[in-house]
Amino acid sequence: MGTSRLEDVDWGRVIERLCYLFPPVIGVGLVGVLQEADLGVPGLQWGLVLFGTFGYTVLTLGLTTALFLDARRVQVVGGWHPRPWLNALFAFVLAPVAGVVYLYRRHERFGTPATRSEWWIVIAISLGTTVAGLGTAVIAYVLAMPGLVATAIGLAGTVAFGAFPIAIHQDAAYVCTRRSRWNPNPGTYLGFAFLSLFVPPLQPLLAAYYLFQRRRAVGLRES
């Protein structure tokens, strides 16, 4: 019965969901590291670092297992022959990158099931929040209001870490199913979204570019 249940699992979806969880967990760890410079709550930074480290480890083990099982199933289906042990080893060493690369290659062979068409709204909100947060932070810095700076950056960072990668991956999965001249690979945009978490200026540029291309290809209010 256990084997049958494993065979019924959509491991491609599991890989997606695990990848979605990496940015928030990494963000928690980074917050913990930054808190070491300004101790507002005793032991807070260590708790956040430990939570981020433990969460990253759990996600790594989960993604390693999911990639192995999905690659083994895909070999049986045919059309693509990923090596289960090689993908699992890649995930164990560098899980987020392995997940993104695998999703990119998997989409090239089998596509990515689309969900809703409204994910572009979340991308637009994340773009607006980031721009507003950065603008507020600059103004607060000029006016010497450190509390407002931290709040603005924290709000923008929360949206970027939590919602943006999910939204752009899900929306690209929808757009690539439409008949248009633009066929974005969801894995590519998920990878750039991950990169934007460490290169903050990239996030608003990526969001603006994606929304521009989407509007040209299928519009923003397509039903």
Side-chain angles (χ1 to χ4, degrees):
M1 183 177 294
T3 303
S4 178
R5 289 180 178 178
L6 288 177
E7 292 177 352
D8 293 337
V9 175
D10 185 348
W11 291 109
R13 285 296 195 187
V14 172
I15 293 169
E16 289 180 6
R17 274 38 179 188
L18 290 173
C19 286
Y20 293 164
L21 292 174
F22 273 104
V25 167
I26 293 173
V28 168
L30 290 177
V31 169
V33 172
L34 295 176
Q35 282 290 330
E36 190 172 0
D38 183 15
L39 301 180
V41 179
L44 175 62
Q45 80 277 12
W46 294 113
L48 294 176
V49 170
L50 288 175
F51 178 84
T53 303
F54 176 76
Y56 185 90
T57 301
V58 171
L59 290 177
T60 295
L61 294 176
L63 188 61
T64 298
T65 303
L67 284 179
F68 175 81
L69 294 174
D70 190 73
R72 190 171 64 175
R73 174 182 292 177
V74 167
Q75 283 188 332
V76 175
V77 173
W80 180 35
H81 299 282
R83 298 180 180 179
W85 286 108
L86 185 59
N87 281 280
L89 178 61
F90 188 13
F92 188 76
V93 175
L94 198 56
V97 177
V100 168
V101 171
Y102 187 86
L103 288 176
Y104 170 87
R105 298 176 64 199
R106 197 180 196 280
H107 176 80
E108 289 290 298
R109 272 70 176 188
F110 306 114
T112 301
T115 53
R116 302 182 62 86
S117 63
E118 295 86 3
W119 280 104
W120 70 268
I121 299 175
V122 181
I123 300 174
I125 292 174
S126 68
L127 173 60
T129 303
T130 302
V131 172
L134 292 177
T136 303
V138 171
I139 295 173
Y141 179 80
V142 172
L143 298 179
M145 301 172 66
L148 184 57
V149 172
T151 300
I153 294 177
L155 177 60
T158 298
V159 175
F161 272 92
F164 181 64
I166 299 174
I168 201 166
H169 181 267
Q170 289 285 336
D171 196 74
Y174 169 78
V175 172
C176 69
T177 64
R178 316 308 294 172
R179 294 181 179 179
S180 69
R181 58 183 178 180
W182 188 45
N183 186 31
N185 186 308
T188 299
Y189 283 90
L190 181 62
F192 278 119
F194 279 8
L195 180 61
S196 72
L197 303 178
F198 302 96
V199 187
L202 179 60
Q203 194 266 347
L205 295 176
L206 177 63
Y209 171 80
Y210 180 86
L211 291 173
F212 173 76
Q213 291 290 352
R214 190 197 201 277
R215 184 175 182 276
R216 291 182 60 189
V218 299
L220 296 179
R221 296 183 179 277
E222 182 190 23
S223 60

